[in-house]
Amino acid sequence: MSIRVMLVDDQVLLRTGFRMVLAAQPDMEVVAEAGDGAEALQAVRSTEVDVVLMDVRMPKLDGVEATRRICEREGAPKVIILTTFDLDEYAFSALKAGAGGFMLKDVPPAELLAAIRAVHSGDAVVAPSTTRRLLDRFAPMLPGGGGSGGRVRPELERLTDREREVVLLVAQGLSNGEIAARLVLSEATVKTHVGRILTKLELRDRVQVVVMAYETGLVRAGGSAGPAR
């Protein structure tokens, strides 16, 4: 079954380029396009979509608000934010709104295709370390400023000591394989821990684990662990 993709960007030429790349793939199809966030919301209501490639700066309704509304839906598609270096602050807001990750608009086609397949299978869209660098830059925008003054989430009390260790390592940018090596566990065991963490904390993916860790002060800007609570 093909991966159903929706393209959301106010630049027709850019959508055309992405559509040509995706059309050449046997396992992907573009099922909808939209020129702004409002059109994207309408399309999601009437079309079954697996992955949305979402621009952030658009007329009528921007990509951040569109992402938030899409991610609130039951069985929502995964959203990949497309951004440029000077719009990282929008990507940050979109991550908090529920996007699974972000990519630069000038990403090589092979990387874009790999990202779509990855997010469709439930994996992270971007390397956690990339997300962490973004959060390092915009940590002051978080409620706790990325420091020890963050708000405590009661859900954290549900985590076991091992799960808490995994949270800290995920938030510091380590992959499942790197976490497995650090904790002397199998990669499958780490993946199980991550799944349980997402369930207990009611989060969509590991990107939101990183955001949560900054919000609560578990991890500070620069990736260092915050004080124990």
Side-chain angles (χ1 to χ4, degrees):
M1 183 176 178
S2 296
I3 302 173
R4 298 164 296 195
V5 181
M6 177 165 71
L7 306 176
V8 185
D9 198 296
D10 60 338
Q11 298 183 45
V12 177
L13 185 60
L14 198 61
R15 294 205 310 268
T16 299
F18 283 142
R19 185 173 63 249
M20 291 176 62
V21 171
L22 299 182
Q25 305 304 306
D27 60 337
M28 296 182 191
E29 62 175 324
V30 176
V31 296
E33 294 186 36
D36 58 61
E39 291 181 7
L41 292 177
Q42 293 179 348
V44 167
R45 296 189 189 103
S46 60
T47 307
E48 292 189 18
V49 178
D50 298 313
V51 178
V52 179
L53 297 184
M54 179 78 75
D55 187 20
V56 285
R57 180 173 285 183
M58 297 180 291
K60 297 182 181 179
L61 187 69
D62 65 36
V64 174
E65 180 60 20
T67 295
R68 185 186 66 78
R69 297 187 191 182
I70 288 174
C71 291
E72 288 177 345
R73 295 175 56 86
E74 184 75 21
K78 299 295 180 65
V79 178
I80 300 175
I81 293 296
L82 298 175
T83 184
T84 54
F85 280 118
D86 60 339
L87 293 181
D88 277 350
E89 62 270 27
Y90 292 93
F92 168 83
S93 299
L95 289 176
K96 292 197 66 180
F102 73 98
M103 303 194 75
L104 299 177
K105 282 190 174 182
D106 60 356
V107 62
E111 290 185 23
L112 176 65
L113 297 172
I116 293 172
R117 293 186 178 102
V119 70
H120 181 252
S121 68
D123 292 333
V125 179
V126 294
S129 57
T130 304
T131 304
R132 177 170 58 80
R133 285 196 297 272
L134 177 68
L135 287 169
D136 285 347
R137 179 178 172 187
F138 294 101
M141 299 169 62
L142 291 162
S148 58
R151 70 182 165 83
V152 178
R153 289 180 59 134
E155 299 96 317
L156 290 174
E157 301 302 322
R158 304 175 190 169
L159 301 180
T160 65
D161 289 342
R162 177 63 83 186
E163 288 167 351
R164 194 180 183 90
E165 286 183 285
V166 172
V167 165
L168 290 173
L169 295 176
V170 167
Q172 292 177 50
L174 275 67
S175 67
N176 285 352
E178 291 168 334
I179 294 172
R182 180 78 63 88
L183 300 180
V184 194
L185 300 170
S186 70
E187 194 165 342
T189 298
V190 172
K191 188 173 182 179
T192 297
H193 281 312
V194 171
R196 289 174 179 168
I197 289 165
L198 295 178
T199 298
K200 289 182 178 181
L201 299 182
E202 300 178 352
L203 301 174
R204 283 172 58 97
D205 51 43
R206 64 191 298 143
V207 173
Q208 291 198 333
V209 172
V210 180
V211 174
M212 179 278 302
Y214 274 74
E215 287 182 321
T216 58
L218 286 176
V219 172
R220 298 173 177 173
S224 61
R229 296 188 184 279

